[in-house]
Amino acid sequence: MTRLLSIAVFLLLALAAQPARAEQSWAGDWHGTLATPAGELRLVLTISEQTGGALAAELESLDQAPGRKIPVAAIAVADGRLTFAIPMISATYEGRWQADRGRFAGTFSQGSAIPLDFERGAAQARPVIAGIDGIWEGGVIRNDVRLRLILNVRTGPGGTIASLDSPDLLAMGLPVAALARDGETISFTIPAGGSAYRGILAADGSRMTGSWSRPGSPEAEVVFVRRPLGAAASRARPQLPRAPFPYRTEEVRFANPGAAGVTLAGTLTLPQGSGPFPAAILITGSGGQDRDETIFGHKPFAVLADHLTRGGIAVLRYDDRGVGASTGAQAGATSADFATDANAAFAYVSARAEIDRRAIGFVGHSEGGMIGPLAAVDNPAVAYLVLLAGPGVPARALMAAQGRAIGAAQGMSEADLDRIAPVQAALFAAAASEGDAAAVAARLRAALTDEMLQQAGVPLSQRDQMARAANDPWLRYFARYDPAPALARIRVPLLAVNGSLDRQVLPAANLAGIRAATAADRDVTIRELPGLNHLFQTARTGAVGEYADIEETFAPAAMALVTEWIRTRFVRR
C-alpha cells in the first residue's frame, strides 16, 4: 500500500548440480549474502531436523535485525533442491546443491528475484567498535524539508552492526557499511544512496556532529543525538479495538474454488441478534496484507470493522493469499486473481444464515478499490461498492502523479523529479507492452540508457533488476489497467472517498475519474474529506513518513461516513 511498486516475482533458477547424497545432513547454520539495491545483507539460515526427518528453520538478517529470528515455513531439501518460504515477509527461496562447491546456489524472491547462495557455517563477524552502541537520532534538510535519520548500532556475537532508518523516505533497516572509529571520529557509508557521514563524538558520548554527503547534493551538517537501546516508547494506537466486544467474533476459513491451493482465513464480526444483517467484505491495498491491513503499527481494518459492526453491519476481513493464515502465493498473482479471492469471500458470506444476501458489498482500500469493481463486474449479486482511495485514472497516470507528490514531500526538487520521471515511465511502458519476457526486458534495457540512469542517480547495476521487475505478472497487469471500463459497468450504489492530503492516490484526478466513469449509475456518492491522508488519518502534510507517527488509525468522520452510507441503504429499520 505504501510502496510505489508492489512487485511479486517468483522465478525458478535451474542450475546444473550434482544430486545430494541421501545420507547428507542439512542441519546447522548456513550463511549467504544478499546483494540488494540497498546494500549487502548477510543472512544466516539455521536448519534443524525434527522427529521423522522433517526440517525446520529460522532466518536471521544480521545487518538489519541481528538477534531476531524469522520463522521459515515449508522448508525441504529433495533431489538436491532447497526450497522454503517466509510468509512473514512474503518471500521464497529455491536453490540447487553444488557438491563441488559445498553450497546451495539459487534465488531469493521478495518483490524481485535476487541471486543468493548458502554455504555451511556461520557468517564472518564484523569488527567490534566500542562506545557507540545505541539509537542515534538526527536529520538532514533537503529542499527545505527535514528528513529524519535514525542510526541503530548494536554490538553482539557477530560484532558491531549498524543500520539506518529514514522514516520520511519509508526506508527502514538500510545496511550501514564501512563503520569505523578513529579516536573520536566516527564514519560510515550508506550504499543504498551513496551517502556518507563523518562526525566527531562528543566527550560525554551523547552526540555526534559532522557532515552528511550525497552525490549531487551539497554537504549538510547532521547532528546525531544518542538515546539508549530499548528506550523507544511504543506509539499509542488508542483506536485499536479491545475485548470485550458488543458483537460476536468468529475465525473462519473458505476456499477459492477457482485457484488451486488458495484457502483464505479471516475474521467475521456479527452484530448481536439473529439478523439478517448487511455485510461488508474488506479488501486490502497492494502488497501482501493481513486481515487487519497492518501497517506502521496501525490496524486500519480492525478499527473499521469494529466501527461498522457496532453500527449493525457484519464484516468479513481476511488475510491475503500467502499471508498470515491464508494459503496460496502472492508471487505471480494479479489484481484480477485477487478479485476472485474477493468473490470467494462473497460466496462464503452469502451462505451464512445471519447475512442478508441482498445487502453484501465490497469495501476496498487503495488497490482494493480497484479489486472491488473487478470482482463486482463478474458478480451480479454484489449490492454495493465503497472505494476508499480507489483509483479513477489509468495506472500509469496514477503512478506518475503519485511519484511526483511523494517525491516532493520527501524533499526532492522539481529538477530531481524531472530526472527520475523518465525512469519510472520507461519501467511502466515496458511492463505494459506486448511480447514475451525477453522482449519486455530488452525493451526496458534499451530505454534505460546509461545517461538516463546517471542523471536520475540510479546505479547502472539496477537496470537488470528493473528488467526483471517489468516482467512481474502483477506489474504487467497493473501497468495496463484503466479503471474506467469496470467502473462504467457498475449499476449498484457506490461511495468513493479520498482524503484531501492523499499523496498516493491524488484526490482531484481520481475522484473526477470515478465520477465520469460512473455517470450512468444512479446512486453514486463522491466525497473528498479535508485533512486526511491515504490511510484516512488526520494528517499535517499527508507525507507517507507521517503515517507511523500519527496516533489516530482511522478518522472517526471517515468511518461514520462509510457506516451511515451503508446503513441508510441496507439496514432494516
Side-chain angles (χ1 to χ4, degrees):
M1 176 201 313
T2 60
R3 297 176 297 185
L4 290 181
L5 299 176
S6 175
I7 304 171
V9 182
F10 182 68
L11 300 177
L12 302 181
L13 185 65
L15 299 178
Q18 299 180 19
R21 299 193 309 273
E23 64 270 21
Q24 174 78 53
S25 173
W26 306 112
D29 287 339
W30 298 78
H31 70 274
T33 300
L34 195 65
T36 75
E40 292 188 344
L41 299 177
R42 295 173 302 147
L43 304 178
V44 174
L45 178 71
T46 302
I47 301 177
S48 58
E49 293 183 357
Q50 307 297 299
T51 303
L55 300 179
E58 295 177 318
L59 187 75
E60 181 180 3
S61 178
L62 298 177
D63 299 303
Q64 286 186 305
R68 179 186 175 193
K69 306 290 186 177
I70 304 174
V72 170
I75 183 169
V77 181
D79 299 324
R81 188 169 67 103
L82 168 65
T83 57
F84 62 80
I86 311 175
M88 182 183 294
I89 58 174
S90 300
T92 58
Y93 178 79
E94 178 169 346
R96 288 283 179 178
W97 176 246
Q98 295 180 334
D100 56 333
R101 298 188 177 185
R103 69 180 184 184
F104 287 101
T107 303
F108 184 89
S109 298
Q110 185 196 21
S112 62
I114 305 175
L116 175 62
D117 299 343
F118 280 110
E119 299 181 15
R120 190 180 288 278
Q124 183 176 2
R126 299 283 197 214
V128 172
I129 301 174
I132 60 170
D133 278 17
I135 299 174
W136 300 81
E137 298 177 325
V140 62
I141 303 297
R142 187 180 182 191
N143 293 309
D144 297 325
V145 175
R146 186 178 188 273
L147 304 177
R148 292 167 292 168
L149 301 173
I150 302 174
L151 178 68
N152 307 282
V153 185
R154 181 190 299 268
T155 300
T160 300
I161 298 169
S163 64
L164 185 84
D165 300 336
S166 181
D168 300 303
L169 297 178
L170 289 184
M172 310 299 285
L174 297 175
V176 168
L179 179 65
R181 177 173 182 175
D182 182 5
E184 302 310 309
T185 300
I186 310 297
S187 60
F188 59 84
T189 63
I190 309 295
S195 301
Y197 180 76
R198 186 177 182 87
I200 304 298
L201 185 66
D204 63 359
S206 64
R207 59 200 294 122
M208 289 186 285
T209 303
S211 61
W212 183 274
S213 61
R214 178 176 177 270
S217 300
E219 286 193 1
E221 181 181 81
V222 171
V223 177
F224 282 104
V225 178
R226 174 156 60 178
R227 57 180 166 86
L229 282 171
S234 59
R235 290 187 171 91
R237 300 292 185 246
Q239 291 176 296
L240 185 64
R242 290 177 172 83
F245 303 119
Y247 51 80
R248 293 167 288 163
T249 299
E250 184 179 337
E251 297 299 297
V252 302
R253 296 183 68 84
F254 52 94
N256 180 343
V262 175
T263 297
L264 302 163
T267 300
L268 177 66
T269 51
L270 295 160
Q272 295 292 352
S274 59
F277 307 106
I281 297 168
L282 308 188
I283 308 174
T284 66
S286 63
Q289 301 276 311
D290 67 19
R291 68 192 70 185
D292 295 330
E293 206 180 41
T294 302
I295 182 170
F296 298 113
H298 289 285
K299 296 181 179 293
F301 275 11
V303 173
L304 178 59
D306 177 80
H307 193 281
L308 290 168
T309 310
R310 290 173 187 266
I313 302 162
V315 179
L316 174 63
R317 62 191 197 272
Y318 57 92
D319 299 330
D320 292 348
R321 59 169 71 183
V323 177
S326 292
T327 63
Q330 286 277 311
T334 69
S335 302
D337 297 319
F338 301 139
T340 69
D341 293 344
N343 275 329
F346 187 98
Y348 173 80
V349 170
S350 64
R352 296 285 302 231
E354 309 96 326
I355 303 302
D356 183 349
R357 297 182 183 180
R358 299 167 299 173
I360 306 171
F362 294 126
V363 178
H365 178 227
S366 196
E367 187 193 356
M370 163 182 165
I371 293 168
L374 282 173
V377 296
D378 290 332
N379 185 351
V382 172
Y384 66 89
L385 287 170
V386 176
L387 312 183
L388 301 173
V393 299
R396 290 167 68 180
L398 183 151
M399 294 306 293
Q402 180 189 107
R404 296 193 77 90
I406 291 178
Q410 294 175 340
M412 297 180 67
S413 67
E414 285 297 316
D416 291 334
L417 296 171
D418 289 342
R419 286 191 290 269
I420 289 175
V423 176
Q424 179 173 297
L427 172 64
F428 272 83
S433 66
E434 301 296 332
D436 61 14
V440 169
R443 192 171 293 117
L444 182 60
R445 289 191 182 99
L448 296 177
T449 64
D450 289 359
E451 181 182 6
M452 179 190 293
L453 292 174
Q454 289 167 349
Q455 286 182 347
V458 177
L460 300 183
S461 60
Q462 288 195 26
R463 181 160 36 208
D464 287 342
Q465 182 180 358
M466 294 175 71
R468 290 192 294 269
N471 273 299
D472 172 64
W474 182 90
L475 184 60
R476 294 201 69 180
Y477 183 93
F478 183 73
R480 296 169 177 158
Y481 189 73
D482 180 351
L487 290 170
R489 295 172 59 185
I490 301 301
R491 294 294 186 274
V492 297
L494 182 146
L495 170 66
V497 188
N498 264 85
S500 67
L501 296 180
D502 191 336
R503 294 182 182 270
Q504 292 185 245
V505 179
L506 275 61
N510 285 280
L511 290 178
I514 293 171
R515 186 185 300 277
T518 59
D521 192 345
R522 295 182 177 180
D523 187 354
V524 175
T525 304
I526 308 289
R527 292 286 301 275
E528 180 178 328
L529 301 181
L532 303 188
N533 62 18
H534 185 66
L535 299 188
F536 292 90
Q537 300 167 299
T538 303
R540 184 174 59 85
T541 70
V544 292
E546 293 179 343
Y547 295 173
D549 296 334
I550 298 172
E551 291 187 0
E552 180 182 79
T553 296
F554 212 121
M559 292 191 291
L561 170 63
V562 175
T563 300
E564 289 308 309
W565 185 89
I566 297 173
R567 283 178 53 83
T568 298
R569 289 158 178 79
F570 298 105
V571 171
R572 297 181 181 181
R573 306 296 180 179

